[in-house]
Amino acid sequence: MSATSGAVARAARAARGALPHGQLLTPEVWARRHRGIVVLLWLHTAALAAFGVARGKGLAHSVSEAAVVAVFALLAAHPAVGRRARSAAAVLGLVTSSAILVHLSGGVIEMHFHFFVMIGVITLYQDWLPFGLALGYVVIHHGLLGTLRPIEVYNHPAAWQQPWTWALIHGGFVLAASVAYLVNWRLSETQATEISRLVSRLEGLARTDPLTGIPNRRVWDEELPCELDRARRMGTALCVAMIDLDHFKAYNDQFGHQAGDRVLKEAASAWWTQVRPTDLLARYGGEEFVLLLPTCALGDAIQIIERLRAATPLVTCSIGVASWDFRESPQALVERADQALYAAKAEGRNRYVTV
């Protein structure tokens, strides 16, 4: 019994894994699809009224039938209603359009195909709530109205006598026809997930120095202006440091480029452990690194800089530190730090200089 239960549980998990998850559409994609579906609802409103008149139902009767769909269209388009509620309103409008077509046609079997088409449209939402509403609507409509007004739902005696049986048959066919939609839905989700992961990975690569694993020049150029704006608004101190590994070219020439790469990686890793979570350490180019120290006065910055110098492996480093004056541009601030770095080198290296 336990083996059977385990097999059933595994089969159930496999089945759930094969089904789409739902609700993975981004707000932008959902909004585009929803707008198209709402337009389709309004087109149905006009078409139903015209079809009713053509079937001899009279203008008032035809318009009243179409007005039901119009109400759902209004709800689906209302901006104050939540996303899933708007989806549900649109879905109910679409399947109600199918039901009204069947009613106006006098239960002509071909009109039932409209339900199949609408199920395909509804899967564009890629959400189980609208999908389940549509399937439930088909069964309840065919069973309940098939019992109360059988000749307006079915056009053959067998269904008039057993409306709920035929309701389940119709629901089963709709569900079977939906398999292709579900497969496409699942594949679409899988593809979207893979694309999202690839984009995230590419974005990460575009913002990360491939050798050291720390942020690159691009991140620095994006973040520095933002941090200066924040410091200006809050009135907090901010410092920038330029860091250069001493005699790095000579080290490369003596020990080889692989050894030089190891120095770069180990230095970046060691420095990363010494900075605060709010600081930004980035590779600026070659053996030069930059450090952004927000909400940090010059005295505090010097303490952090000293920790970096002490943690530098294999070689020494020179550092130039500049405290922002709340007026200069990002480029001018970096230039001042760079000038301080050159001063540190000129004074013999393995030290820091502030400006």
Side-chain angles (χ1 to χ4, degrees), residues 150-182:
I151 62 174
E152 294 184 4
V153 179
Y154 305 107
N155 65 348
H156 56 95
W160 298 343
Q161 294 169 7
Q162 294 181 309
W164 281 105
T165 299
W166 283 89
L168 293 174
I169 291 173
H170 277 255
F173 272 107
V174 169
L175 183 59
S178 300
V179 170
Y181 299 134
L182 292 174

Side-chain angles (χ1 to χ4, degrees), residues 51 55 57 100-109 111-112 150-156 160:
F51 182 70
R55 293 287 296 178
K57 300 296 184 180
I100 292 173
L101 275 175
V102 171
H103 158 66
L104 293 175
S105 71
V108 174
I109 194 66
M111 287 300 175
H112 289 259
I151 62 174
E152 294 184 4
V153 179
Y154 305 107
N155 65 348
H156 56 95
W160 298 343

Side-chain angles (χ1 to χ4, degrees), residues 228-242:
L228 294 185
D229 288 341
R230 184 178 293 111
R232 182 183 290 110
R233 291 195 309 270
M234 299 178 63
T236 54
L238 178 146
C239 291
V240 163
M242 293 284 294

Side-chain angles (χ1 to χ4, degrees), residues 4-318:
T4 303
S5 300
V8 170
R10 287 192 297 273
R13 285 195 298 270
R16 285 197 300 271
L19 291 173
H21 301 291
Q23 298 189 71
L24 296 184
L25 292 182
T26 64
E28 295 78 14
V29 172
W30 177 89
R32 286 199 301 270
R33 296 186 181 188
H34 184 70
R35 280 195 299 269
I37 290 173
V38 171
V39 169
L40 183 61
L41 270 180
W42 285 115
L43 293 174
H44 271 81
T45 301
L48 287 171
F51 182 70
V53 172
R55 293 287 296 178
K57 300 296 184 180
L59 181 61
H61 178 84
S62 301
V63 170
S64 65
E65 296 280 2
V68 177
V69 178
V71 170
F72 286 119
L74 288 171
L75 289 173
H78 200 293
V81 181
R83 169 171 161 170
R84 299 194 85 189
R86 291 165 69 190
S87 299
V91 165
L92 291 174
L94 291 175
V95 289
T96 298
S97 299
S98 300
I100 292 173
L101 275 175
V102 171
H103 158 66
L104 293 175
S105 71
V108 174
I109 194 66
E110 287 79 5
M111 287 300 175
H112 289 259
F113 296 151
H114 192 271
F115 281 104
F116 291 84
V117 177
M118 292 302 99
I119 292 294
V121 174
I122 288 162
T123 55
L124 290 174
Y125 282 122
Q126 295 188 5
D127 188 344
W128 281 107
L129 175 61
F131 188 76
L133 276 177
L135 291 180
Y137 189 106
V138 171
V139 174
I140 292 172
H141 165 264
H142 284 62
L144 186 59
L145 288 186
T147 300
L148 300 175
R149 307 286 292 275
I151 62 174
E152 294 184 4
V153 179
Y154 305 107
N155 65 348
H156 56 95
W160 298 343
Q161 294 169 7
Q162 294 181 309
W164 281 105
T165 299
W166 283 89
L168 293 174
I169 291 173
H170 277 255
F173 272 107
V174 169
L175 183 59
S178 300
V179 170
Y181 299 134
L182 292 174
V183 170
N184 182 66
W185 175 2
R186 183 71 175 93
L187 291 174
S188 176
E189 284 189 344
T190 301
Q191 184 182 46
T193 301
E194 291 175 353
I195 291 174
S196 177
R197 288 174 179 168
L198 178 60
V199 169
S200 297
R201 182 181 178 188
L202 290 175
E203 287 178 347
L205 291 174
R207 296 172 62 83
T208 303
D209 177 60
L211 178 63
T212 62
I214 66 174
N216 59 15
R217 174 75 174 268
R218 175 183 176 182
V219 177
W220 174 265
D221 290 339
E222 291 176 356
E223 293 296 324
L224 179 57
C226 296
E227 288 297 336
L228 294 185
D229 288 341
R230 184 178 293 111
R232 182 183 290 110
R233 291 195 309 270
M234 299 178 63
T236 54
L238 178 146
C239 291
V240 163
M242 293 284 294
I243 311 169
D244 185 85
L245 294 173
D246 294 331
H247 303 294
F248 183 74
K249 185 179 183 304
Y251 188 94
N252 254 347
D253 293 341
Q254 181 178 358
F255 298 104
H257 289 286
Q258 289 187 345
D261 288 347
R262 185 171 65 252
V263 169
L264 291 171
K265 289 189 288 187
E266 291 185 10
S269 178
W271 294 339
W272 190 265
T273 64
Q274 301 301 319
V275 299
R276 304 169 302 173
T278 55
D279 299 335
L280 173 62
L281 175 68
R283 188 178 181 191
Y284 203 67
E287 69 271 25
E288 285 192 336
F289 296 79
V290 279
L291 178 61
L292 175 61
L293 299 163
T295 62
C296 187
L298 184 58
D300 296 325
I302 290 173
Q303 293 182 18
I304 296 173
I305 293 304
E306 287 285 47
R307 292 204 302 267
L308 264 60
R309 290 183 57 243
T312 304
L314 302 174
V315 295
T316 60
C317 69
S318 300

